[in-house]
Amino acid sequence: MSDIVPAAPHDLSFVGLFLQADPIVKGVMILLVLASLGCWTIVVEKLLRFRSVRREARAFERATRSGEKLHPQSAGTNGRIIAAGQEAWRDQDPSESRAERRERIERAMRAALSADMRQLQVGLPFLATTGSAAPFIGLFGTVWGIMNSFSAIAASQDTSLSVVAPGIAEALFATAIGLVAAIPAVTAYNKLTTDLGRLQQLFTAGITVLGDRLARDRKPLLRAEAAE
């Protein structure tokens, strides 16, 4: 009587599931992993950048509220806002009222702030897209893998768990990767957009105070220039 050779056990490790998967499912997994790496790169860069800008925003608001002399040559967002305000202040029209002058100066500073805020928003749409699309991309890989598993079951005419489980596991692995990519992306997007709104509020509060100073005072920034 001939010996029955048992089938080789399937490798159910992460690497094994990837290597045994269908080429299309592999492509889905690779796409999701690359998207996840891109998201983490954006998150780390934004966290470091936001920390620096947050310090600038707090310093700007504190300086405007305390009446400190402001330097247009300052680096970063603060310097660009102050420079825009000074430029608008220099372009004075004797016929305009104080309220009109204040509105014009604040509008110039808000425009400078908006330009910097747009730079900080770069990368956030990618987080939003990954967070919303990654689960569905992973689900596509899962559906495709399950279809292949059922085709293999029909061809082998064997519905035992040892035949069904490996293919289903490979398919579900794609959904798992999609969730791993999507959950941090959505969480980071919500946090970063909230932080961005708070930063803009800090700068806007300082702009309001500074705009009032510039509309009322005839040479606040000129004194800062002379001091240098």
Side-chain angles (χ1 to χ4, degrees):
M1 186 176 65
S2 60
D3 296 334
I4 299 176
V5 179
H10 288 272
D11 184 3
L12 297 180
S13 65
F14 291 160
V15 176
L17 291 174
F18 171 77
L19 294 177
Q20 298 165 21
D22 180 85
I24 293 181
V25 179
K26 283 183 180 178
V28 169
M29 292 180 181
I30 292 172
L31 177 63
L32 292 172
V33 169
L34 293 177
S36 181
L37 291 176
C39 287
W40 280 109
T41 301
I42 292 172
V43 169
V44 172
E45 187 271 335
K46 292 301 177 187
L47 289 177
L48 296 176
R49 181 80 184 278
F50 278 31
R51 181 185 301 175
S52 174
V53 176
R54 188 178 296 110
R55 286 195 297 264
E56 290 185 39
R58 289 172 178 168
F60 178 70
E61 185 190 25
R62 184 170 57 250
T64 54
R65 291 191 182 278
S66 63
E68 297 178 13
K69 295 179 181 179
L70 301 172
H71 298 267
Q73 291 79 16
S74 301
T77 304
N78 290 359
R80 286 185 283 274
I81 292 175
I82 297 169
Q86 184 185 47
E87 185 66 25
W89 173 81
R90 284 175 173 170
D91 186 20
Q92 297 191 29
D93 184 353
S95 65
E96 67 181 355
S97 65
R98 175 181 166 185
E100 291 172 339
R101 182 164 62 251
R102 172 179 175 177
E103 174 60 28
R104 178 171 54 80
I105 293 172
E106 288 186 10
R107 185 166 57 248
M109 291 189 289
R110 285 195 297 266
L113 173 62
S114 296
D116 276 29
M117 292 297 103
R118 283 193 295 271
Q119 291 297 320
L120 291 177
Q121 290 173 355
V122 173
L124 296 185
F126 182 78
L127 294 179
T129 302
T130 301
S132 61
F136 296 100
I137 296 175
L139 183 60
F140 167 74
T142 297
V143 172
W144 188 272
I146 290 175
M147 288 170 55
N148 287 336
S149 296
F150 282 132
S151 298
I153 292 171
S156 63
Q157 296 184 350
D158 186 357
T159 58
S160 64
L161 188 62
S162 60
V163 174
V164 176
I168 301 298
E170 296 163 11
L172 292 176
F173 188 43
T175 295
I177 296 177
L179 294 175
V180 168
I183 293 173
V186 171
T187 304
Y189 176 79
N190 291 335
K191 172 180 171 45
L192 292 175
T193 51
T194 301
D195 290 348
L196 187 63
R198 290 173 179 169
L199 289 175
Q200 192 161 4
Q201 289 176 357
L202 285 174
F203 279 116
T204 301
I207 286 174
T208 301
V209 176
L210 181 57
D212 184 63
R213 284 176 54 190
L214 289 173
R216 183 179 65 250
D217 195 342
R218 290 293 178 180
K219 47 182 180 180
L221 295 180
L222 294 179
R223 289 202 301 268
E225 287 181 337
E228 294 180 356

